[in-house]
Amino acid sequence: QVQLVESGGGLVESGGSLTLSCAASGAFAEIYAMGYYRKYPGKQRELVAIAVNSGRANYGDSVKGRFTVSRDNAKHTVYLQMNSLKPEDTAVYYCLHRQSIGADYVDHWGRGTQVTVSS
């Protein structure tokens, strides 16, 4: 069972910064990737940023150059540094923990944390 503890959301003014973090605990196999997706009301989750074991990081187009994802593998924790925040970044942000088990991936999601950017 994987437990994900998310922190760091809140209210910030446009142009400001926030840092999200997500710590994984419990019993799990090798972590393949950790990162964040976000969800707007009435829409599906979209990729924000994900850090893969190879050291590669993938970003959603709308956050490239503004957000940075990083991992502390010893602590099983992922961080999302969000700079130059815009009102359109307002959403619920969900932590993703992806395990590699054989040829399959198993995903666990955090409960989500609200990020609100005021104009």
Side-chain angles (χ1 to χ4, degrees):
Q1 189 74 8
V2 177
Q3 292 83 43
L4 299 174
V5 178
E6 300 168 292
S7 61
L11 173 64
V12 66
E13 293 184 350
S14 180
S17 298
L18 279 176
T19 301
L20 305 183
S21 65
C22 174
S25 62
F28 45 82
E30 177 187 3
I31 299 176
Y32 173 74
M34 291 188 73
Y36 282 90
Y37 280 64
R38 66 187 179 189
K39 188 178 186 301
Y40 299 104
K43 295 190 176 182
Q44 292 187 340
R45 290 176 187 172
E46 66 176 38
L47 172 68
V48 178
I50 189 166
V52 185
N53 276 358
S54 63
R56 176 171 51 92
N58 294 328
Y59 293 90
D61 288 342
S62 63
V63 306
K64 288 178 181 177
R66 299 188 297 124
F67 292 9
T68 302
V69 66
S70 61
R71 284 171 55 183
D72 183 331
N73 292 328
K75 296 181 178 179
H76 306 306
T77 299
V78 62
Y79 303 94
L80 182 67
Q81 176 66 42
M82 303 185 292
N83 297 327
S84 302
L85 282 160
K86 305 175 181 179
E88 50 263 44
D89 294 317
T90 295
V92 178
Y93 286 67
Y94 293 89
C95 174
L96 167 66
H97 172 281
R98 175 165 290 168
Q99 300 176 71
S100 173
I101 301 179
D104 297 324
Y105 297 123
V106 176
D107 290 346
H108 287 86
W109 294 93
R111 294 187 174 185
T113 185
Q114 177 71 45
V115 171
T116 302
V117 184
S118 63
S119 57

